[in-house]
Amino acid sequence: MKQGSTPRVRYLTLALAGATAAIGVSGLLTASQGEAKVQAPAGETRFWVEEVAVDLDRPWEMTWLPNGDMLLTERPGRLRIVRNGKLLPDAVTGTPEVLSTSMFDGLLDVKADPDFASNGMLYLTFMTGDDNARVGHIMKAHYANGALTDQKVIFTTAVPAPAGGPNIMRILFLPDKTMLVGMGSGGQGSRGMVQRLDNHAGKIIHLNRDGSAVADGPMAKTESALPEIWAMGFRNPTGIARTTDGEIWAIDVGPKGGDELNLVKPGGNYGWPQVTWGFDYSGRAMSEQQDGGDYVDPVANWAPSRAPSGLIQYTGDRFPEWKGDLFTGELMGHVIRRIRVKGGKVVLEEALIGDFNERIRTVAQGPDGYIYALTDSSSGRLLRLRPGEPTASEKAKVAKPSSAPTDAGMFGDFANRGVYQEKFSQIMNNFKYDETRAKKLFGQNCAACHNAGTFKSGEMGPDLNTVYFRKSGTLPGYNYSAAMADPKTQVTWDGFSLQAFIANPQSYYPGTKMAVPPINDFEVVLQLDAYLKSLSQPETVTGTGAQVGH
C-alpha cells in the first residue's frame, strides 16, 4: 500500500460530548503551509497519530513483554520485535510452519503467559492444512533472545474449516490464568456446525495453559459436547475483552450487516446462524428470526457491515476522558471505534481516525497507556494514538492517510491493499465456469448417486436439480444424517455450504454416506458448485463462482 504523497501533518480533535450522545469529529478545518489541522473548542480530547512501524506484511496482533518489547505477528508466518519504538529487522526464529494461502489463515494471535517474567512462555494461534480443510492450533513455546524453543502444540480444532472464513482467533487470559479462546465459524460453508456441540466452530472455549478443558465448564455434563465449550453461536468473534467489573465482552462479525457487540456469559448461545440481522453475500437474509427464543440478544448490532476486529477496554491515564470505554478496530469501516456502555446499553459511539482510510485489524493498550493499532495490508503499519499535539521534533512521525482507493467495493478493497494471499486468491479471482468440464466432473464424482441435469442415475442420493436455496434434509424418502435434518443445524444450500460439503462432507455433516472421497482441489469444487447453480439459476453463472467473506 502506498502512503499519501502530500507531506502534511494531521491533527485530529474529537469532541467528547455527554454520555448519552453519539459524537464525531468536530471543529473547523483550516490549512496553512501544507498542513491540515482540525481546530476544536477548549475541553475536547485532542490527539495525534504516530507512525511507529511501516512495511509490515499483513500484521495481525501484538503483545508486550516485561522488558517493554512488543511482539507482533505477520500472517505469512513471522513474529516481529518492536524495541524502543523501532521495528527490528530480524524476525523471531522458531515460529511454526503455517497455512497462509488465504486472507483468513496464517500466524494470528500472540499472547505472553501471565507468568512470562518467570517462565518466558508465549502462546501463538495459527493455521495448517489446505484450502478446503483448514486446521487451527495453539502453540506454547519458550521465548528468549529473539528465538522460540520448546515448542508444543497444546490445542487443535476438532474439525477442519472449509474455504472462505476465519477459524481460530483470539486468546484472552483471565485473572485465574486460564484462557478464553474465540473460534471463528470457518466461513459460511460451516454455519451448520455452529449450533452443534461436537466441534469448535463459532464457539468461545475455556482452556488451561496446557490446552486442557477447564473443569466443570457449562457444557461439561452435556452429552456429546466438547467440555471446553464456554459459549456458542458466534459467526466470527474477532475480539474478546474482560472489563474491570469482571464482565466478558465479545465482538462478532456478521456477513453483510449483523455485526454484534455481546455481553458473554458461560453457557450462552448467541444465535448464529439461526438468529441474525445479517444478509448472505447473495443478498438473501440469513435468518427469518432476528432476536429472542433460546438465544441471547446482542447489546448492539450494526448495519451496514463494519467488520469490527479486536476489542479492548481502555484503563490508562493518557486519555482520562476515555477511561472505561471499549475500543475496536474496523476492517470495512476503516476506523477505530470508541464505545461507551452503561447499564448494559451502548450510550455513545465515536469513530476515530476515519480519514486515514485504513483497515484496522486490531487495537491494544500499551504499558505506556497509549492506544496502538495495526493496519491490515501487505504494507501494514503500527500506529499509536498520543494526546495533545506533536512537538516540532515529532512532526516527522505523524502518520499520513492511506492513498488506497475508497470506492472499489469489498473485493476491490482487499486487492488494493494486498490483503489477498497468493494461491487461494488466484483460484478465486481467476475462476471461470466451464460447463463442459463441470458436467464431466459431475459425471465422474457425483452421478453414480445423484440426478442433476441430464444425469438420471438415481436413487441413492437426493435429486440435485433444485438443490440451490433448498434446505438440507428436506426431500422425502432419504435417510439424512441428523446434522442435515435438524432445523437447528441444517442449512439452506448455497455456494458456501455446497463448496464446503463437496470438499469435506464428513467433517461438516457427520454420518452422511458418500461413495467418493472428499475433493481437495478447490477449482474442481468451484466447477461442481457452479454446475449445480446453473441448473437452478442459469443466468447467474456467467463469471466467477468463488465466494468469500471478511
Side-chain angles (χ1 to χ4, degrees), residues 22-195:
I23 56 178
V25 178
S26 68
L28 301 174
L29 180 65
T30 63
S32 175
Q33 296 180 345
E35 297 183 356
K37 183 174 181 179
V38 179
Q39 305 278 8
E44 293 184 350
T45 300
R46 184 184 297 274
F47 69 92
W48 62 284
V49 181
E50 178 185 8
E51 187 175 77
V52 180
V54 299
D55 295 327
L56 298 168
D57 191 0
R58 290 157 280 202
W60 210 87
E61 187 55 284
M62 59 195 125
T63 195
W64 280 266
L65 305 181
N67 68 354
D69 284 359
M70 174 199 288
L71 299 178
L72 61 85
T73 56
E74 294 177 315
R75 278 197 289 114
R78 288 177 292 276
L79 184 62
R80 306 295 300 276
I81 306 168
V82 178
R83 179 172 296 157
N84 298 323
K86 302 290 185 182
L87 178 69
L88 301 190
D90 295 329
V92 172
T93 62
T95 53
E97 292 292 325
V98 302
L99 173 71
S100 60
T101 57
S102 91
M103 60 187 290
F104 304 108
D105 302 325
L107 183 62
L108 303 176
D109 204 0
V110 56
K111 288 291 184 292
D113 190 283
D115 296 323
F116 182 90
S118 59
N119 66 22
M121 302 306 291
L122 288 179
Y123 297 80
L124 300 167
T125 67
F126 63 99
M127 301 291 294
T128 65
D130 60 47
D131 293 334
N132 293 306
R134 300 152 49 241
V135 181
H137 308 276
I138 302 175
M139 188 180 81
K140 184 177 182 179
H142 186 267
Y143 172 80
N145 302 318
L148 296 179
T149 57
D150 301 324
Q151 299 94 329
K152 182 180 180 181
V153 172
I154 61 170
F155 173 84
T156 295
T157 51
V159 178
N167 187 349
I168 195 165
M169 307 189 81
R170 309 278 182 183
I171 294 174
L172 171 70
F173 276 107
L174 301 177
D176 65 359
K177 302 179 184 179
T178 63
M179 66 179 94
L180 295 177
V181 185
M183 314 294 290
S185 65
Q188 303 284 75
S190 55
R191 60 183 179 267
M193 297 168 62
V194 173
Q195 291 297 320

